[in-house]
Amino acid sequence: MSLDRPRIEGLLAAARHRDLGVLTEPEGMDLLEAAGLAAPRRVVLAGSAAAQALAAPPFPGARAVLKVVAPAILHKTEAGGVAVIENAPAAIRAAVSEMERRFAGQPVDGYLLAEFVPHEAGPGHELLLGMRWTADFGPVVTVGAGGIHTEFLARSIRDDRALALLAPGLADRAAIERALARVAVVRLVTEPQRGRPPLVPPARLADVVERFLELAAAFVPDPIAEFEVNPLALSDGRFVALDALLKLGRPAAPMAAPRPIARIGRLLQPRTAAVVGVSEKGMNPGRMILRNLLADGFPAEDITVVKPGSESVDGVKCVPSLEALPARQDLLILSISAAQAPEAIAAVAEGQRAESVILIPGGLDEKPESAPLVARMKQAIADARATAWGGPVINGGNCLGVRSVPGRYNTLFIPDYKLPFARGAESPLAFVAGSGAFAVAKASKFGTMNPRYILTIGNQMDLTAADYLEYLEGDPAVEVFAVYLEGFRPLDGLRFLEIARRITAGGRTVILYRAGRTSAGAAAAASHTAAVAGDYAATRRLAEAAGVVVADTLEDFEDLARLFLALRGRRPAGRRLGALSNAGFECVAIADSLGDFTLADFSPATTAAIGEVLQRARVAEIVSVHDPMDLTPIMGDADTEEILRLILADPGVDLGLAGLVPLTQAWNSLARGEGHGEDVTRDGSIAHRMARLFRESTKPWVAVVDAGALYDPMVALMEAGGVPVFRAADRALRLFN
């Protein structure tokens, strides 16, 4: 059944015409039925006179429900406006008269008499179904525990099992069913319980949610701001809406006009560049940017410094103004004050001086007094977009800009001695950050990683996170997208996840850390980047449904980027883990932290081959073959490598973990030093063996080195060889899952 749009529109128009701000419950029930949802049979009685005229109940059943109809009374139960009564004329008349006395003097539209829908009042039997508008994603629909248990169960059930959250633009039928299957209270009635068959097929609830999503897509936020059904009761194998609360809304703020996305190519791989704000005498940010461009190999002859009164700076030619630029630049970097920015942007847009701009200054959008400056700048951009040229794309403001390995430039105005980057082969990573400080802090910990792009996007005043994701979707050299955001621009979250879903469906990885999760965090984000920090719960659930890996902590964000870079191209066939450790405690920790993994059953051939290694090492009497393998601290480097190789080769193992507690004297695990003969850089050390095995294996596996800083050289050698290394087994398994 499709939506009865004319009937729905009529109900909503009538309510808006009366300027009520809400639909009455009878109107809400009528609207649900027009959307294809079930509601109780019902009549509206104007008052006791209408009740007196009842010669017989209007519907069968021993009981009925009477509710006051009053737009100002939203919580009727607490106000005494709900009663379960005998379904007989005398009882109905008495109940209506009693409610008339209780609400005398208050604006009441009448009394809803509805059939009593028998159902069990408990988790799963009563659900909450709601829709609302979000600035990031547009309309969203939630399904969770209903009735009197709503708040308690929402607090008590683990966050990702408490409710399903879906957006019409992202939710096909399969996504709806997956989301509902994760909700604990839904599973109580759609799955067998202690031999009892399911009370209702999952598809039946999915049908209801699908209709609700269709309604949300068509009518939220205007004219519906919020619509809540609580409870949606399970009765005799079907879901019936017993209560409906609908608040009217207004049109959402219009989405920003599309940016010319293809022009991002000029920003990321420019052929020419100009810099404004370079000091000739001191090392200000503009001068550092110029030095970084030259250090990264951008040809000096293709750079222009806009600086009146100077011939050249650092061997780069100068011109006195933007108007004096020799040609339209691919990239213009504005390292100037916020007060100067609008005039500069206007000059660029009106004079077609640059294809792209990196706008460094802060103070734009964060403070109310900057509003006129921002309005002037945005108008200049809009005017340029209306021309055949289409105007420039602008990154920022309040950003550190971009480091582009293929573009041979770096505007992150941090000197190289403070932030040295790996200079080897580029890593297939695009790191997108709403905070420049976050980007450089994390980049300083990247070690051997050399991201293809580091993009600090600041306030997203023009180019947004979704714009970059859309452009880079077409770059096969990017396999991992690591994104830190403090907020989305209006509806940009929906675009972002639509694109992310395509990227992840193609086998690449999108990692997201969303800041501003609490009210205090949201306020801090707004003061920092002026991005509106939206509903974190919506972001998390919708992102996960789109295949995005959501990082819980900042440390997780770093480790997930390393992990997915190291394991790109290695997709496990299943969830069977083969593991070993040379420490008993770590074997226990591995078994305790499996998550969704299961321990593998080694084949007879693998068991026999491992047994031969144990015999040769003379430990067969004390070490048995099982998963995880406890090798004890006396197993040497070579034998440890051989056993791990055998485990990874087993056909019943999908992925692996090697616990390497390095304090054993049986391994060469220390850097060269006094008091011992070890040298971890020597060929045949445990670190070299693990790196070689990682190169030669095809299954995904990780290593754990649970030890102190003395063993950092061992870890560094393994990581340089591509091995993803963690410092605790439980953390490794949590992120590996």
Side-chain angles (χ1 to χ4, degrees):
M1 175 183 174
S2 60
L3 300 180
D4 185 346
R5 293 183 68 106
R7 185 180 177 198
I8 293 171
E9 290 167 355
L11 288 164
L12 293 168
R16 175 156 287 176
H17 178 71
R18 296 196 306 274
D19 198 26
L20 296 174
V22 297
L23 259 65
T24 64
E25 186 167 352
E27 291 170 329
M29 294 288 188
D30 290 347
L31 193 148
L32 287 170
E33 288 182 334
L37 279 70
R41 287 173 289 188
R42 60 202 175 276
V43 295
V44 176
L45 304 173
S48 54
Q52 290 289 340
L54 282 177
F59 36 74
R63 291 185 288 177
V65 179
L66 185 69
K67 299 182 181 182
V68 66
V69 179
I73 304 174
L74 300 181
H75 302 288
K76 295 179 286 293
T77 301
E78 293 85 340
V82 179
V84 177
I85 61 174
E86 181 185 356
N87 190 22
I92 294 169
R93 289 193 291 270
V96 172
S97 296
E98 171 58 28
M99 281 197 185
E100 277 188 326
R101 287 192 294 272
R102 180 174 296 125
F103 296 104
Q106 299 185 47
V108 171
D109 289 356
Y111 301 89
L112 175 68
L113 182 67
E115 69 173 325
F116 180 84
V117 177
H119 68 282
E120 182 179 327
H125 298 265
E126 293 185 327
L127 299 176
L128 182 147
L129 181 62
M131 67 176 67
R132 62 185 174 87
W133 174 260
T134 65
D136 294 348
F137 308 106
V140 297
V141 166
T142 54
V143 184
I148 63 172
H149 306 287
T150 299
E151 289 80 9
F152 175 78
L153 290 175
R155 290 192 304 266
S156 304
I157 298 174
R158 201 177 80 193
D159 184 59
D160 62 344
R161 306 288 182 181
L163 59 88
L165 196 149
L166 299 150
L170 298 169
D172 56 16
R173 179 65 180 222
I176 294 169
E177 292 176 353
R178 284 195 303 270
L180 292 176
R182 293 178 63 85
V183 180
V185 293
V186 169
R187 295 175 63 188
L188 285 173
V189 295
T190 59
E191 295 180 0
Q193 304 293 331
R194 289 195 176 182
R196 185 211 72 192
L199 298 179
V200 64
R204 197 155 296 166
L205 179 57
D207 288 341
V208 173
V209 175
E210 198 166 32
R211 294 266 159 59
F212 216 58
L213 281 162
E214 188 179 354
L215 181 67
F219 293 101
V220 174
D222 180 31
I224 299 176
E226 296 179 37
F227 195 3
E228 182 179 287
V229 177
N230 185 18
L232 179 72
L234 177 59
S235 176
D236 195 24
R238 66 177 189 145
F239 288 97
V240 183
L242 301 188
D243 189 60
L245 174 60
L246 187 151
K247 297 180 181 179
L248 297 173
R250 300 185 181 280
M255 196 173 176
R259 277 70 59 195
I261 300 299
R263 202 153 283 164
I264 292 176
R266 299 291 188 92
L267 189 152
L268 295 181
Q269 298 187 39
R271 295 163 300 182
T272 58
V275 187
V276 183
V278 176
S279 170
E280 195 171 6
K281 297 179 180 179
M283 192 54 65
N284 72 338
R287 184 75 174 273
M288 281 189 280
I289 289 170
L290 178 62
R291 290 274 179 92
N292 285 344
L293 262 67
L294 295 169
D296 275 23
F298 205 99
E301 62 270 21
D302 294 328
I303 306 174
T304 305
V305 172
V306 178
K307 186 170 184 60
S310 298
E311 294 293 325
S312 69
V313 178
D314 289 336
V316 175
K317 64 182 179 295
C318 297
V319 297
S321 65
L322 291 170
E323 290 75 14
L325 285 169
R328 185 188 302 169
Q329 301 292 297
D330 279 350
L331 173 64
L332 175 67
I333 303 161
L334 295 177
S335 181
I336 55 180
S337 71
Q340 296 171 298
E343 184 176 349
I345 292 293
V348 169
E350 293 163 6
Q352 301 188 18
R353 304 296 176 186
E355 302 283 2
S356 67
V357 178
I358 293 176
L359 183 61
I360 300 293
L364 296 165
D365 265 2
E366 289 95 340
K367 299 176 181 179
E369 56 267 27
S370 70
L373 298 175
V374 174
R376 180 183 171 193
M377 181 167 55
K378 289 182 177 179
Q379 187 59 54
I381 297 168
D383 291 344
R385 293 274 157 82
T387 67
W389 169 49
V393 290
I394 301 172
N395 183 91
N398 193 20
C399 72
L400 297 184
V402 171
R403 179 178 184 262
S404 169
V405 173
R408 300 171 301 166
Y409 79 90
N410 171 15
T411 73
L412 308 177
F413 47 90
I414 309 294
D416 187 66
Y417 65 86
K418 282 282 191 179
L419 183 61
F421 285 100
R423 297 295 178 180
E426 70 177 45
S427 303
L429 169 67
F431 178 23
V432 182
S435 164
F438 177 87
V440 295
K442 298 309 170 190
S444 72
K445 300 166 76 174
F446 278 170
T448 58
M449 286 196 298
N450 185 21
R452 181 171 172 84
Y453 300 115
I454 298 177
L455 310 170
T456 73
I457 59 177
N459 290 346
Q460 306 176 71
M461 294 176 64
D462 188 46
L463 288 174
T464 68
D467 291 336
Y468 279 112
L469 210 62
E470 180 179 340
Y471 179 81
L472 293 174
E473 180 187 6
D475 186 347
V478 179
E479 298 180 48
V480 178
F481 303 77
V483 183
Y484 168 94
L485 291 176
E486 293 169 356
F488 291 104
R489 283 300 177 187
L491 293 181
D492 204 55
L494 180 62
R495 277 188 62 228
F496 181 93
L497 294 184
E498 288 171 342
I499 300 161
R501 183 168 60 179
R502 296 197 302 265
I503 291 171
T504 59
R508 294 187 283 175
T509 301
V510 179
I511 302 164
L512 174 65
Y513 182 92
R514 174 64 185 270
R517 304 178 181 191
T518 64
S519 57
S527 67
H528 175 212
T529 61
V532 178
D535 187 330
Y536 174 71
T539 301
R540 183 182 187 92
R541 285 169 178 79
L542 294 175
E544 289 174 339
V548 174
V549 179
V550 180
D552 287 324
T553 69
L554 297 178
E555 191 176 14
D556 285 358
F557 182 85
E558 300 169 31
D559 282 348
L560 286 167
R562 291 191 187 91
L563 181 64
F564 280 99
L565 275 176
L567 298 182
R568 65 188 187 279
R570 302 182 186 221
R571 296 288 173 178
R575 309 293 288 170
R576 298 168 298 180
L577 178 74
L580 63 75
S581 175
N582 62 336
F585 86 88
E586 199 161 57
C587 289
V588 176
I590 291 168
D592 279 344
S593 307
L594 288 173
D596 292 334
F597 293 146
T598 59
L599 292 172
D601 292 321
F602 299 146
S603 70
T606 300
T607 301
I610 293 175
E612 290 178 8
V613 179
L614 298 178
Q615 287 285 353
R616 188 173 65 241
R618 299 181 180 180
V619 295
E621 293 183 357
I622 59 173
V623 177
S624 59
V625 181
H626 53 76
D627 192 12
M629 279 287 301
D630 183 355
L631 299 182
T632 78
I634 61 177
M635 190 71 69
D637 310 61
D639 291 334
T640 300
E641 178 195 358
E642 187 172 354
I643 291 175
L644 179 58
R645 189 181 294 274
L646 289 167
I647 289 173
L648 291 172
D650 188 286
V653 170
D654 300 312
L655 62 176
L657 183 146
L660 309 171
V661 178
L663 286 82
T664 172
Q665 294 184 13
W667 286 353
N668 179 7
S669 57
L670 282 173
R672 187 168 50 188
E674 295 183 6
H676 62 83
E678 295 184 26
D679 182 357
V680 74
T681 65
R682 193 181 301 143
D683 189 40
S685 73
I686 190 69
H688 279 302
R689 290 178 180 276
M690 292 297 106
R692 179 176 60 202
L693 177 55
F694 193 82
R695 290 192 300 271
E696 294 172 355
S697 61
T698 58
K699 291 179 181 177
W701 63 276
V702 300
V704 176
V705 179
D706 197 343
L710 191 62
Y711 299 94
D712 287 351
M714 171 184 164
V715 172
L717 277 170
M718 292 171 63
E719 290 181 334
V723 183
V725 183
F726 293 87
R727 303 307 284 260
D730 55 350
R731 177 172 179 77
L733 284 166
R734 180 171 63 82
L735 296 183
F736 202 19
N737 262 283

